[in-house]
Amino acid sequence: MQDGGGNSYVGRFAPSPTGPLHFGSLLAACASYLEAKQRAGRWLLRIEDIDPPREQPGAADRIIRALESFGFEWDGPVHYQSESHEKHLEALAFLEASNLTYHCGCSRKDLAEAPVGPLGTIYPGTCRSGSDASEYAVRVRVDDTVVTFDDRLQGKQAQSMLTESGDFIVHRRDKLIAYHLAVVVDDNLHGVNDIVRGIDLMDSTPRQIWLQRLLGYAIPTYAHIPVAVHPDGDKLSKLTGARELDVEQAPAILINALDALSLDTPSELVDATLPEIWSWAAEAWDIGRLAGRQSIIVPNQQQ
Ligand code: GLU
């Protein structure tokens, strides 16, 4: 394994502790892990614990224990996003000092009539010239730039910052740092240079690239993997009743996950140990098999 140095690969898995590890999140963990292994890189684990209202007590520990039971080995300590709060504030201060942001006093009600695009409400710019509201969010300005990136699996992507995103929040009204800002600060801090994650986050990438540009960060490469869905097409998530993984069944579940990621595991693997399964998978891994795919229908026993 390479350590640090110049151009070496650094990937990561960055779960939010909003619930236990389920089969959908296991797919993102496996894909990012195998990509890092195959490229002789480092793989970091970051618990994105900066949104206490959405967190489930104990979920972070359960996720970590579940990952251990599945045989994942991360490089370095587990990172907790809350530990880099000072860095988030520094980045926010930089954006503010560079006059790239403004205070927005609009409430949800104020925005009820605002246009809604595929990414949600497009902020109409009401507070662009300032707000003296005592409770405010901080928004970053966008312009008519079309942010493009070449996703390693999903191909060329483009998003108009003005008409599809609009000025977006980097510091919430409740004084929590917004996800887009925290994620780019932490990826930059840890030298992450390739991001393998679910396609449900692909719409967020242009806003993250926008921030990376404003903050002068290197832009990582991205590979958005298909998302696990129930046979009826709903995304597997806590909301749609995705079950906590049974770590007693880790080898069998891991094999199901590898098959879901198009690896065609051989039948002999059924009797293999976790290290044997991982070493087979690291050899066989081919992220290209997921190219252009947006969803993976998950077998019933795994929902
Ligand atoms: N914490 C995010 C989630 O669990 C993922 C962030 C990312 O991979 O960029 O959905």
Side-chain angles (χ1 to χ4, degrees), residues 175-242:
K175 297 299 158 227
L176 294 175
I177 295 287
Y179 157 66
H180 295 307
L181 181 59
V183 86
V184 300
V185 169
D186 288 355
D187 283 334
N188 180 67
L189 191 62
H190 302 135
V192 172
N193 51 23
D194 187 56
I195 294 179
V196 178
R197 62 183 178 188
I199 199 171
D200 50 325
L201 289 164
M202 193 158 72
D203 281 350
S204 298
T205 304
R207 278 170 286 186
Q208 294 171 13
I209 292 176
W210 181 255
L211 290 175
Q212 286 156 352
R213 289 183 187 167
L214 296 182
L215 292 163
Y217 294 167
I219 315 279
T221 45
Y222 288 91
H224 287 93
I225 66 163
V227 78
V229 295
H230 295 279
D232 64 8
D234 278 347
K235 183 188 155 198
L236 213 69
S237 72
K238 203 174 56 172
L239 293 179
T240 60

Side-chain angles (χ1 to χ4, degrees), residues 1-6 8 40 42 75:
M1 186 141 311
Q2 293 170 13
D3 192 21
S8 58
R42 306 180 73 226
D75 292 294

Side-chain angles (χ1 to χ4, degrees), residues 40 45 80 88 99 124 127 130 161 171 178 184 196 199 207 210 215 227 231 234 239 248 277 285 289-290 293 295 303:
L45 174 59
Y80 289 85
H88 303 155
N99 201 22
C127 297
M161 296 312 290
H171 199 202
V184 300
V196 178
I199 199 171
R207 278 170 286 186
W210 181 255
L215 292 163
V227 78
D234 278 347
L239 293 179
E248 300 295 320
I277 299 172
W285 177 242
R289 291 194 190 188
L290 300 172
R293 288 186 53 198
S295 60
Q303 294 171 30

Side-chain angles (χ1 to χ4, degrees), residues 54-228:
R54 286 186 58 230
E55 275 163 37
Q56 196 186 80
D61 286 344
R62 267 153 73 201
I63 292 172
I64 295 168
R65 272 194 313 232
L67 291 169
E68 276 167 353
S69 308
F70 276 89
F72 288 92
E73 290 174 3
W74 45 91
D75 292 294
V78 177
H79 296 282
Y80 289 85
Q81 197 160 46
S82 55
E83 286 168 0
S84 39
H85 188 57
E86 285 304 314
K87 299 283 178 203
H88 303 155
L89 293 177
E90 275 171 30
L92 178 66
F94 173 83
L95 296 173
E96 293 195 292
S98 314
N99 201 22
L100 297 165
T101 58
Y102 57 90
H103 291 180
C104 170
C106 293
S107 65
R108 213 164 274 200
K109 212 164 114 215
D110 295 328
L111 296 178
E113 305 290 311
V116 178
L119 313 176
T121 303
I122 300 168
Y123 186 64
T126 324
C127 297
R128 265 197 153 192
S129 49
S131 158
D132 49 18
S134 57
E135 289 198 2
Y136 56 85
V138 179
R139 284 185 191 270
V140 68
R141 282 174 218 280
V142 300
D143 61 23
D144 57 3
T145 301
V146 175
V147 171
T148 59
F149 68 100
D150 199 0
D151 189 84
R152 296 205 288 121
L153 294 175
Q154 309 297 338
K156 290 220 179 317
Q157 306 296 319
Q159 191 179 101
S160 156
M161 296 312 290
L162 200 61
T163 62
E164 292 180 80
S165 159
D167 297 344
F168 60 94
I169 291 178
V170 285
H171 199 202
R172 292 168 18 177
R173 203 183 166 89
D174 58 9
K175 297 299 158 227
L176 294 175
I177 295 287
Y179 157 66
H180 295 307
L181 181 59
V183 86
V184 300
V185 169
D186 288 355
D187 283 334
N188 180 67
L189 191 62
H190 302 135
V192 172
N193 51 23
D194 187 56
I195 294 179
V196 178
R197 62 183 178 188
I199 199 171
D200 50 325
L201 289 164
M202 193 158 72
D203 281 350
S204 298
T205 304
R207 278 170 286 186
Q208 294 171 13
I209 292 176
W210 181 255
L211 290 175
Q212 286 156 352
R213 289 183 187 167
L214 296 182
L215 292 163
Y217 294 167
I219 315 279
T221 45
Y222 288 91
H224 287 93
I225 66 163
V227 78

Side-chain angles (χ1 to χ4, degrees), residues 20-37:
L21 194 71
H22 57 73
F23 194 73
S25 36
L26 179 67
L27 295 184
C30 286
S32 58
Y33 187 58
L34 288 169
E35 188 64 11
K37 293 283 137 201

